[in-house]
Amino acid sequence: RRREMWEMDNYPEGEIQEMIDIYTGKGMTTEDASLVVTTMAKYKDFFVDVMMAEELELQVPEPNHRLASFKEGATMFCSFAAFGSLPLLGYVIIPTAFPTLGTDALFATACVVTGIVLFIFGCVKSIFSASHWLLCGTETLLLGGACATTAYTIGQYVNAIVDGQQQ
């Protein structure tokens, strides 16, 4: 915003011409674009906001954007921590309930719990989108499963490298 404001203060003709070019590129006649842009340019703050949206394709930040960003970040962190810990509960609850299970069974249980959590998370996500709950759940399960598989595979390769260097 500051840069666009500086450009408007120091080179208004160039900024006005850029906006005219944008609007003619979207189908307006040069005369109409000139009229619209020169009218908007009379209102500097408004014009800078329009330039940010049209020229740079940026959203104009709200006055309290730092507080809102902090709240969104805190919400994301808490959500990640809550949903991310659910698959680990398989390693805490299952061994207590079934102490004779081996590590392979615990790993399989963690994979199943992770899949269930990913699917449920996707279903919850569908509340906030226009997609069907089954599609969102399946998509999140497949994408999350692919990411988890990739992370696990990389971990196995790194472990093999480290084990090979220690011998």
Side-chain angles (χ1 to χ4, degrees):
R1 187 166 191 352
R2 281 187 293 230
R3 189 183 110 212
E4 287 299 318
M5 190 65 82
W6 181 89
E7 288 178 358
M8 190 61 187
D9 288 338
N10 294 291
Y11 188 56
E13 304 83 21
E15 292 301 301
I16 290 170
Q17 187 58 51
E18 284 179 11
M19 290 300 293
I20 291 170
D21 293 343
I22 288 170
Y23 286 140
T24 55
K26 291 184 176 190
M28 284 183 136
T29 64
T30 304
E31 298 80 29
D32 286 345
S34 297
L35 176 65
V36 168
V37 172
T38 53
T39 302
M40 287 190 299
K42 293 178 186 177
Y43 308 94
K44 190 164 115 180
D45 286 335
F46 171 74
F47 189 62
V48 168
D49 290 347
V50 172
M51 283 192 307
M52 287 182 61
E54 295 290 331
E55 179 185 346
L56 302 175
E57 297 180 6
L58 295 173
Q59 290 181 336
V60 179
E62 297 293 327
N64 65 345
H65 72 280
R66 288 191 174 137
L67 178 62
S69 296
F70 177 78
K71 286 180 180 178
E72 288 175 13
T75 301
M76 290 294 290
F77 173 77
C78 291
S79 298
F80 180 77
F83 276 97
S85 66
L86 291 176
L88 298 176
L89 292 178
Y91 283 107
V92 175
I93 295 172
I94 301 298
T96 305
F98 305 100
T100 59
L101 285 179
T103 56
D104 289 341
L106 287 174
F107 179 72
T109 302
C111 290
V112 169
V113 170
T114 300
I116 292 169
V117 168
L118 287 169
F119 184 77
I120 291 171
F121 184 66
C123 292
V124 170
K125 182 182 77 168
S126 73
I127 295 170
F128 305 101
S129 71
S131 298
H132 189 269
W133 66 270
L134 184 60
L135 178 65
C136 279
T138 304
E139 177 185 46
T140 304
L141 171 63
L142 293 176
L143 289 173
C147 291
T149 301
T150 301
Y152 179 79
T153 304
I154 291 170
Q156 290 296 312
Y157 282 124
V158 170
N159 187 39
I161 292 169
V162 170
D163 283 349
Q165 290 178 351
Q166 290 177 355
Q167 295 175 354

